Amino acid sequence: AVRTLTLNVYQVGDEAIIKFIHDKTAAPYFSNLVWFIGNNVLMMERCLRTEATHLTRNKLESLVALHLDDMHYVHDIMLLQMQSLNSMLCEHLLNTLLIPLYVYSLDPSLKVDSPQVSVKCALFLLSQVFLILTHPPLVKQLKLYICFEENPNLESSD
């Protein structure tokens, strides 16, 4: 219900409200959203590393479903085509979640300060990201970083 309400508020056509959302609430909201996604991913990794029982399997299934739901919610926000919000959300996703947690986990030899997941988990999560998220600047920057290790620069993306 909160996500539906949030999406409806973002759709309000009033420029003053959009500016207020962008300037006052979007950054902390997106930061928290991305943090919660990352935290759930780390819980997913713990389930994968724990001896398989019906309880861990059920929890893992719930966390995978939650990740799918989160990715669809992010996609819904981006479908609103509000450039300033999309840019902010993409920046949070790339710099806080997708590159440091998903992409860096693809190379276990990297020495990074951020938490990591297994290569299999990272590949699975990235497949969900590429399957669900279609926002061209985000997909392009993530693809460039994975293939060429180029730093994301959303300002130069179309």
Side-chain angles (χ1 to χ4, degrees):
V2 171
R3 290 181 174 192
T4 302
L5 180 62
T6 302
L7 289 171
N8 287 331
V9 168
Y10 289 159
Q11 290 182 35
V12 173
D14 187 312
E15 285 300 317
I17 292 174
I18 303 280
K19 182 172 176 18
F20 176 81
I21 290 169
H22 180 273
D23 294 346
K24 303 290 184 193
T25 65
Y29 180 74
F30 291 155
S31 179
N32 285 335
L33 174 64
V34 170
W35 182 87
F36 280 112
I37 294 170
N39 193 48
N40 289 333
V41 165
L42 294 175
M43 285 193 293
M44 187 185 309
E45 179 67 18
R46 281 193 291 278
C47 285
L48 289 169
R49 293 179 188 265
T50 304
E51 184 178 328
T53 66
H54 72 283
L55 293 175
T56 56
R57 192 177 121 211
N58 289 343
K59 183 169 183 162
L60 181 60
E61 287 175 358
S62 295
L63 290 167
V64 168
L66 183 59
H67 187 265
L68 280 169
D69 186 53
D70 290 337
M71 290 300 108
H72 281 288
Y73 177 56
V74 167
H75 179 69
D76 289 343
I77 293 171
M78 291 179 177
L79 284 178
L80 296 174
Q81 297 185 7
M82 298 177 67
Q83 180 60 33
S84 62
L85 290 180
N86 284 355
S87 294
M88 184 183 295
L89 180 54
C90 286
E91 184 177 322
H92 280 285
L93 284 167
L94 285 168
N95 296 327
T96 309
L97 179 71
L98 299 176
I99 292 172
L101 184 56
Y102 296 16
V103 175
Y104 287 172
S105 293
L106 295 175
D107 185 357
S109 68
L110 282 178
K111 302 296 181 214
V112 294
D113 292 333
S114 60
Q116 303 298 289
V117 296
S118 66
V119 173
K120 289 178 185 177
C121 186
L123 286 169
F124 173 73
L125 295 168
L126 283 168
S127 71
Q128 288 186 333
V129 168
F130 282 117
L131 180 66
I132 297 167
L133 302 181
T134 60
H135 184 62
L138 176 69
V139 172
K140 178 182 176 184
Q141 291 303 317
L142 185 56
K143 179 180 63 175
L144 285 172
Y145 198 89
I146 291 171
C147 294
F148 304 109
E149 295 185 28
E150 291 185 13
N151 289 327
N153 181 358
L154 294 173
E155 301 302 320
S156 64
S157 297
D158 297 331

